[in-house]
Amino acid sequence: MMEHAPALVIAFPLFAAFASHLIGRLGSRIRDIWVFASLLLTWLFAVFLNLEVMQRGTYAYTLGADISSLASPAGFPVRIVLVIDGMSALIAFMAVSVTLASFIYSRRFMERVSGGGESADRYCSLVLLFLAGMLGMGLTGDFFTLFVFLEMTSISSASLVAFFRKGSSFEAAFKYMIISAINALFLLFGIGMIYSQYGLLNMAAIANEMVLNFSFLDKVALSLIVSAILLKLGSVPVHMWKVDVYQKVPSSVAVMCITSSLVGIYVLSRILFSVFFSMSALTGWMIVCLGSLSIIVGVSMALPQKDLKRMIAYASIAEIGYVMLGIGTGLAGMSSTFGTVALSGGVFHIINDALDLGLMFLIAGAVFYATGKTGISKLGGIAHRSASLSVLFIIGMLAVSGIPPFNGFVSKLIMYESVFCLNPVLSVIGILGSILMLSVFVKVFASVFLGSPYKGKFREIPLSMTAVMWIFALLIILLGLFPGLALDGLVSPAVEALLGHGIYMGVII
Amino acid sequence: MISTGMGSWSPLVFLICVAFISVVVQIIRSLGEGGFRKEEDKAEAFFSGGRLLIKNRVMDVYWGFFDAMGRYYGWMKRMHNGIVNDYVYWFVLLVTVVIGVVILL
């Protein structure tokens, strides 16, 4: 059974998504146990994939083939091929872990804000569909399946954005649907251009063809695909939708949306490193420039915000910019040592962003749960009511701002030193961004947590929500104090997988 | 100890340094003026003689920065107007620039 783990890790949450609505008829408790068990099983499959990659190295799984490890059993058919390497296994593990944590956190939160019942059933189904989409995007080895799973994440997340069923939630969901439709359209257009030339959809097979003949049409297709993915991950100048959406979505879903953006970054890296690697210098510089712009605009716009979630949303744009800076430098300096180091920093920052920004959104959700407010000026003195939440905020604040000894510092330090070799100005932008980020969160901390005790109604934060936030915080501290754990165990295999486009093609061809 | 490309980083060394500096700070603090009272004007924020245009709240702590960057924030506010049509215009601009860069360079 475990040989089919690459397929099962996607199929299981997909099945559980549809089944959970039916199981919900038996009672909310049974449904929750079902969803939790499904997520736990999916998590175990994701762990197995990581262990398998450590032992076997990169391998392919072909759906429907007699021998699943053979990607081309009869010529080169149009078949769904999943490619498992250090990077895709890491992304799958991250997506499942965050979703599992988010589900545990959201149980009581959803009971309160939605009143349980059918809306909670819908929530569970959509969360599982969202996860299946992210896993598919992470593991797929062909363009069309990528498009299908991207659509799956877009539709499920748009429904989750409208979850609160208020005017402003509907507006945010409507904007998100328009953006998703445009994103899908341009991606499909780019994929169509490639298919029209080579009659292929498999990424490795297309990369193999492009080595011999890189045409003008390939350049246009590259531009369309890259632009579509940049829209999906919310890079500047196409980041505005992200703020509208993150402000209105439940905090547990915002954490998943952040993870979805990070999966988008993975897809961008996969396409640029493994398919269009002959254009790496140019695309690398492009990603570096957009990443730098994202840092500047994201952090400067976070500063004047008056809503906690909107402010964290802008901070997330800046943090995605840091990842782009690392990955772009990795592309621009592909054959150099500094490029490899920058890529390590970028990949490490993907993990750190999921934890740091995830924690900040969970804290914002807890504040909303306790007070019913997210407006910064309406809050104050929360530290007197919940010391635990204040400590968690300080940990998250220092980690996001890249202050030692937390995890964000390590990945940012690696990036500052390596991007300096590409251009010293990039390091200056990175450091300036971190300073401004700290000033953003210091202001929020003083506004929301300090001052005279909060006078309004303050609901006790449930243990399940607090426990999940503390797990995030402990992981932040652990990766800050022992960064070698992540760098050696998760980041290095991922970087090798991205740089080894020959191995990637060799597995399929 | 991990290598960061041009240097190295050890959280343990950092924590030892923090502990040492904290001890030094405590020693210096213990040598300070014992009769200091917070109620005196000495504890008030010093605004460099500049004009204080707004009430002294935490939310307005960076008012000088926003004042100096007024033109930038004015432009940014127009860019982030919440209208989805404009988001699409920005995407069209991005596609145009990306195609231009990839094809021309």
Side-chain angles (χ1 to χ4, degrees), chain A residues 89-376:
Chain A
L90 166 67
I91 290 296
F93 175 70
M94 196 181 78
V96 185
S97 304
V98 169
T99 308
L100 182 61
S102 148
F103 175 71
I104 297 168
Y105 173 93
S106 66
R107 256 196 82 232
R108 293 287 300 280
F109 183 86
M110 282 301 155
E111 265 174 30
R112 192 200 149 195
V113 298
S114 72
E118 265 204 36
S119 55
D121 290 348
R122 272 198 299 273
Y123 174 79
C124 292
S125 293
L126 290 169
V127 162
L128 286 162
L129 267 180
F130 195 0
L131 172 64
M134 284 195 284
L135 288 169
M137 280 168 69
L139 297 177
T140 186
D142 72 86
F143 273 118
F144 191 73
T145 318
L146 172 71
F147 167 74
V148 171
F149 282 117
L150 186 98
E151 279 290 88
M152 193 189 282
T153 59
S154 299
I155 292 166
S156 51
S157 50
S159 310
L160 284 166
V161 173
F163 187 78
F164 284 132
R165 289 173 171 255
K166 288 178 189 164
S168 54
S169 302
F170 284 133
E171 187 191 332
F174 176 70
K175 283 179 187 172
Y176 186 63
M177 279 172 69
I178 289 177
I179 294 296
S180 298
I182 290 166
N183 164 38
L185 194 73
F186 275 76
L187 183 69
L188 193 62
F189 193 23
I191 294 169
M193 277 186 180
I194 293 174
Y195 186 73
S196 67
Q197 286 190 88
Y198 304 112
L200 293 168
L201 289 168
N202 187 285
M203 292 184 200
I206 291 164
N208 190 44
E209 292 289 328
M210 282 182 184
V211 170
L212 305 170
N213 177 30
F214 195 80
S215 67
F216 174 80
L217 214 53
D218 288 333
K219 287 185 177 179
V220 179
L222 165 70
S223 308
L224 294 176
I225 292 171
V226 166
S227 303
I229 298 170
L230 287 171
L231 180 64
K232 174 76 184 170
L233 59 89
S235 159
V236 169
V238 282
H239 60 284
M240 296 88 152
W241 67 268
K242 209 171 171 179
V243 188
D244 298 339
V245 166
Y246 284 18
Q247 188 186 2
K248 295 300 165 197
V249 85
S251 283
S252 54
V253 179
V255 181
M256 289 183 69
C257 289
I258 289 277
T259 314
S260 163
S261 286
L262 296 170
V263 174
I265 287 217
Y266 157 72
V267 171
L268 183 70
S269 316
R270 172 61 75 204
I271 289 170
L272 294 180
F273 276 99
S274 303
V275 184
F276 294 97
F277 51 83
S278 57
M279 298 281 285
S280 65
L282 182 67
T283 51
W285 267 107
M286 209 162 63
I287 301 298
V288 162
C289 292
L290 290 172
S292 305
L293 266 178
S294 299
I295 294 173
I296 296 166
V297 173
V299 82
S300 63
M301 284 304 290
L303 210 53
Q305 295 309 315
K306 293 180 172 63
D307 183 276
L308 192 53
K309 284 168 82 177
R310 201 169 174 85
M311 189 273 293
I312 301 170
Y314 273 113
S316 79
I317 292 165
E319 287 299 307
I320 292 282
Y322 279 100
V323 180
M324 288 169 70
L325 193 61
I327 285 172
T329 308
L331 274 165
M334 200 188 246
S335 51
S336 62
T337 312
F338 77 83
T340 310
V341 176
L343 187 58
S344 300
V347 172
F348 192 20
H349 207 65
I350 289 179
I351 303 171
N352 293 341
D353 268 358
L355 289 171
D356 304 348
L357 292 169
L359 178 61
M360 295 315 279
F361 268 117
L362 294 181
I363 293 168
V367 169
F368 178 70
Y369 180 92
T371 63
K373 298 169 190 164
T374 53
I376 296 170

